[in-house]
Amino acid sequence: MFFVDTLEFEGLGNRSYLAGGPSAAVVIDPPRDIDQVIAAAARRGVRIAFVAETHVHNDYVTGGLELARVTGAQYLVPAGAHVSFARTPIADGDTVPVDEGLILRAIATPGHTPHHTSYALTEDGRGVAVFTGGSLLIGTVGRPDLVEPRLTEQLARAQHASARRLADELDDEVPVLPTHGFGSFCSSSQAEGDATTIGKERETNDALALDVDTFVQRMLAGLEDVPAYYAHMGPANAAGPAPVDLTPPGWADAEEIASRLAAGEWVVDLRSRMAFAEGHVAGSFNFEGEGKLATYLAWLIPWGKPVTLLADTPEQIADAQRELARVGIDRPAAAATGDPAGWIREGEQLASFPRARFVDLADVRERGDDVVVLDVRRDAERAGGYVDGSVHIPIHELYGRIGEVPDGMVWVHCAGGMRAAIAASLLDAAGRDVVAIDDGFDAATEAGLTLTGPGRTD
């Protein structure tokens, strides 16, 4: 009997897979931190015989090269991918025997990248799974605009054809197991649900329901901003990533933290946004360890800038270090844990700022107080409706555009509170008076605030 184990990485919105039989297995699109993949294989009691990439990834650093080296597995990489390391090139129609009666077949599915390849798994000739990477996702497909702007429309058309090829060649009951689509910005839109089959996709996926021109027009119109760090992922993966080092960073005292801030380095507080607002090191930034840490920190930080991590516990530091390594932020410069009072020098005070709800903003406006309302949601979110009179700077642009925020007390919001907390910490570090609105955007309507756009109130 075959098995498929899913390794989920919620912070990046991706999945990897371990699939095999009684004695051997293949790993699809492994993460940078390969220890957990090796542990999963050990639990199954199987040898990792193959490591397969669906494409050269744009949103994370792969562990494939190192996993193949450590395990002795064959490293399968699409033949059309331009890489600088030895691998087993795999082309459309190629097959590899994973275990007795278990065959992996390569299916060329260009679209997300020109060389993108999916892998169909068969047991005794019967299709049992298809690993679709960034091709056919749950209710959508991978975005086609991450390689080269001049290729975007061409790749979008290829994505349509690739999705249809998968649907034509595979039976309805075959499970579709994508890498992207669970929060990753590699997806052209976000998945609804966490499981699907070829048959379900026939009923719900635009790539299988719309003609190519309508599909391409609709998909290209819906594409959002690309995280800045994506520009570094493809080259790192093509060059061959170095092994990851997850040994603990050096521990920083208050003097070192102050020195690193004075040098212009980033000091990142991983604690909850509630705890950060109550008291934090002046000049530090708040990226919650429980939020989309890797995505937003890697998106905002100037690439290569040293980062020091602050947290409640060493375990939180270790978790963050692991997640950041997945996007190429390999070694924290330093770290500190415990009571924030120990992170500042004698005679200094912790900084703080208030948190509020949309109803509080409505009260302030009702009194006639002159405040700045800053919306840090993405363009597509704002297009659905926004607080009348608000200023709009998406969170990923704010660090470089703080000087554009009008004078006065800034009430900052997003759609749920996490990005508003990041924004509030950036503004606070820049010396601005700020209030972080920790509330769902639906509450703006309930609070009686006037909205402009499709979500407007009367």
Side-chain angles (χ1 to χ4, degrees), residues 349-400:
Q349 299 292 320
L350 292 171
S352 64
F353 54 76
R355 295 166 53 246
R357 316 289 270 186
F358 277 109
V359 68
D360 302 311
L361 174 61
D363 290 343
V364 166
R365 282 191 153 188
E366 182 71 22
R367 293 200 306 264
D369 293 1
D370 186 16
V371 298
V372 177
V373 180
L374 176 62
D375 181 350
V376 296
R377 296 174 301 158
R378 296 186 300 275
D379 290 346
E381 294 173 287
R382 186 170 171 88
Y386 55 89
V387 176
D388 188 48
S390 60
V391 176
H392 181 225
I393 303 178
I395 184 62
H396 57 274
E397 298 178 9
L398 181 59
Y399 182 68

Side-chain angles (χ1 to χ4, degrees), residues 272-347:
S272 73
R273 54 186 183 261
M274 293 75 76
F276 183 88
E278 289 176 3
H280 57 268
V281 177
S284 63
F285 302 140
N286 182 214
F287 291 80
E288 291 180 302
E290 297 300 316
K292 294 181 73 68
L293 170 66
T295 295
Y296 283 104
L297 178 54
W299 199 339
L300 270 68
I301 193 170
W303 198 250
K305 178 80 73 174
V307 58
T308 293
L309 302 177
L310 309 178
D312 292 315
T313 67
E315 291 76 20
Q316 291 170 336
I317 296 291
D319 289 345
Q321 183 178 351
R322 179 179 290 271
E323 188 161 348
L324 293 176
R326 293 172 184 156
V327 293
I329 301 177
D330 283 1
R331 293 291 300 161
T337 60
D339 186 345
W343 301 340
I344 57 174
R345 295 173 296 191
E346 186 174 352

Side-chain angles (χ1 to χ4, degrees), residues 28 56 68 71 118 126 167 185 191 235 239 243 282 297 337 373 393-394 414 442 452:
I28 309 291
V56 175
T71 63
S118 298
R126 178 180 64 90
F185 281 85
L297 178 54
T337 60
V373 180
I393 303 178
C414 59
D442 287 347
T452 300

Side-chain angles (χ1 to χ4, degrees), residues 58-106:
N58 291 292
D59 63 331
Y60 70 92
V61 180
T62 181
L65 182 63
E66 179 66 2
L67 182 61
R69 185 190 70 81
V70 168
T71 63
Q74 283 193 54
Y75 191 24
L76 311 178
V77 177
H82 299 292
V83 296
S84 302
F85 49 82
R87 88 288 194 201
T88 299
I90 192 159
D92 185 42
D94 288 350
T95 60
V96 294
V98 177
D99 207 335
E100 186 175 351
L102 202 61
I103 303 296
L104 193 71
R105 176 171 64 94

